[in-house]
Amino acid sequence: MNHLSTAVPNSLDAYWMPFTPNRRFKASPRMVDRADGMHYFTPDGRKVLDGVAGLWCVNAGHNRPRIVEAVQQQAAQMGYATNFNLGHPRAFEFASRVAGLLPGDLDHVFFTNSGSEAVDTALKIALAYQRARGKASKTRLIGRERGYHGVGFGGISVGGIVKNRMYFGTLLAGVDHLPHTHDLARNAFSRGQPQHGAELADALERIVALHDASTIAAVIVEPVAGSTGVLAPPVGYLQRLRALCDKHDILLIFDEVITGFGRLGAPFAAARFEVQPDLVTMAKGITNGLVPMGAVGVRQHIHDTMMDEADAPIELFHGYTYSGHPLACAAGLATLDTYRDEGLFERAAGLEATFEDAVHSLRDARHVIDIRNIGLVAGIELEPRPGEPGERGQEVYHACFDRGLLVRVTGDIVALSPALIVEPGQIDEMVSLLREVLATIA
């Protein structure tokens, strides 16, 4: 028998799907096999409006010729080269371009292959930096409840979503968590940043009092928590967190895997909120989702300390086979060109008010208990069905797809995060379809 033969029935059994109820999906699969602009297409040709930019990542829309052609040309020239003790020009060019978008002195970029790897990399850089500067006791990492930082052991340790943590043992030692900022009683139906909750950052003082600042290396937060259901930071919260980190000599890491590359109408959330982090993680929109890639932006003094105080020729014993992959760099450069030449970050900022009004028109829709938005991202929270948390959300997801709309669902929270090329009429179509679906769901 030829074990490489393709003459095998196309069964759904072999593929163990990620973050999916596999038995439910395979009993009633929903498939797409083509995408263009703002739409996916099913194998039978039905059009599905993409309300979530793939998975928060296709910020310039699907099948952009400039990006596709850049990858094709790079593949024909050189499909792979290691970045261990060897370089290729596109990796250096792309790092410079990304650094140019980052705020302040985040002047150095370390490439990874995903947001999860970017988070683990940032945590390792934070720990290695503390050691390099003679503060090796600073090993504790502080995350936040309801935070999502990917699925590496570092990311789920500092993350705060229970199902991502509970099955995998004791995780990393020396981790603590800030409280989340969701306050339905005071902030329901907020437009943009909620007014209440800046004081929640002060919980860092309690953590410092418990562990002492001499043991804490870094705090990591999403500027806008995405996967947990779109939680924008309360007014003043990130500024207060930055001040407390400065006070106690703690690094501040922003996880901008979702918020980077225009989602909030700015290159990064750090620029929009005018808060300078010490490290920034990114992925998703960095290549418009076409080729997997992630990165960590690093401030000048952190990089320089690592270089100047290294106790071995290799300053950071860390990296990946595919760090700075040629195809990903080619996709990234063409993606940045597309964002720039089409003014997509500015376009997103200009659409924010339209998007806000549209999603908040669902306030009177069936089952809706909260709506929150910022930039081109919104969360519509539904009242859970008694005794069946998450089931209403799953039914909404399936019904929306069947009616021609792709949404993102976390539990009973529906997220919308369309590509930055979305037209106002398409925003209205998303909201109209969602309203129709909600009216039919028990």
Side-chain angles (χ1 to χ4, degrees), residues 282-322:
M282 63 199 91
K284 295 191 183 290
I286 195 170
T287 60
N288 201 44
L290 187 59
V291 180
M293 193 180 211
V296 181
V298 183
R299 291 186 74 178
Q300 187 72 45
H301 71 277
I302 296 173
H303 172 269
D304 289 352
T305 298
M306 296 284 291
M307 296 298 120
D308 295 343
E309 304 300 328
D311 56 5
I314 296 175
E315 298 90 358
L316 178 65
F317 281 86
H318 176 69
Y320 303 98
T321 299
Y322 301 113

Side-chain angles (χ1 to χ4, degrees), residues 97-183:
R97 291 280 301 277
V98 171
L101 288 176
L102 289 164
D105 63 346
L106 286 156
D107 293 337
H108 299 273
V109 175
F110 192 104
F111 286 125
T112 70
N113 309 292
S114 67
S116 294
E117 289 182 0
V119 167
D120 278 15
T121 297
L123 297 177
K124 289 174 78 173
I125 290 173
L127 294 171
Y129 163 73
Q130 300 292 7
R131 183 178 187 274
R133 70 182 186 125
K135 299 199 174 185
S137 66
K138 294 177 79 69
T139 60
R140 194 171 297 276
L141 302 167
I142 310 300
R144 187 168 62 185
E145 297 168 357
R146 294 188 67 161
Y148 180 75
H149 301 293
V151 294
F153 269 94
I156 59 175
S157 297
V158 295
I161 296 179
V162 63
K163 293 294 184 182
N164 291 353
R165 296 166 50 86
M166 62 183 283
Y167 298 104
F168 307 113
T170 55
L171 309 180
L172 294 186
V175 173
D176 210 332
H177 290 78
L178 295 163
H180 65 73
T181 63
H182 188 36
D183 188 341

Side-chain angles (χ1 to χ4, degrees), residues 38-234:
M38 283 295 301
H39 293 89
Y40 282 106
F41 296 84
T42 63
D44 61 0
R46 189 168 62 86
K47 184 185 288 189
V48 179
L49 181 59
D50 183 3
V52 287
L55 190 63
W56 322 87
C57 54
V58 188
N59 290 0
H62 295 280
N63 193 26
R64 299 307 305 268
R66 184 178 199 168
I67 307 172
V68 172
E69 290 166 8
V71 173
Q72 290 171 333
Q73 291 169 10
Q74 181 60 52
Q77 178 180 331
M78 183 177 68
Y80 175 77
T82 179
N83 280 281
F84 293 8
N85 295 296
L86 188 69
H88 64 89
R90 290 192 186 278
F92 294 93
E93 180 185 0
F94 190 40
S96 295
R97 291 280 301 277
V98 171
L101 288 176
L102 289 164
D105 63 346
L106 286 156
D107 293 337
H108 299 273
V109 175
F110 192 104
F111 286 125
T112 70
N113 309 292
S114 67
S116 294
E117 289 182 0
V119 167
D120 278 15
T121 297
L123 297 177
K124 289 174 78 173
I125 290 173
L127 294 171
Y129 163 73
Q130 300 292 7
R131 183 178 187 274
R133 70 182 186 125
K135 299 199 174 185
S137 66
K138 294 177 79 69
T139 60
R140 194 171 297 276
L141 302 167
I142 310 300
R144 187 168 62 185
E145 297 168 357
R146 294 188 67 161
Y148 180 75
H149 301 293
V151 294
F153 269 94
I156 59 175
S157 297
V158 295
I161 296 179
V162 63
K163 293 294 184 182
N164 291 353
R165 296 166 50 86
M166 62 183 283
Y167 298 104
F168 307 113
T170 55
L171 309 180
L172 294 186
V175 173
D176 210 332
H177 290 78
L178 295 163
H180 65 73
T181 63
H182 188 36
D183 188 341
L184 192 59
R186 293 194 297 171
N187 291 326
F189 298 99
S190 291
R191 291 173 174 251
Q193 291 184 260
Q195 293 301 309
H196 305 286
E199 72 282 356
L200 293 167
D202 293 342
L204 185 57
E205 292 280 24
R206 175 184 55 78
I207 292 172
V208 168
L210 176 63
H211 300 295
D212 196 74
S214 66
T215 72
I216 301 175
V219 171
I220 182 170
V221 295
E222 301 160 273
V224 175
S227 294
T228 193
V230 186
L231 305 179

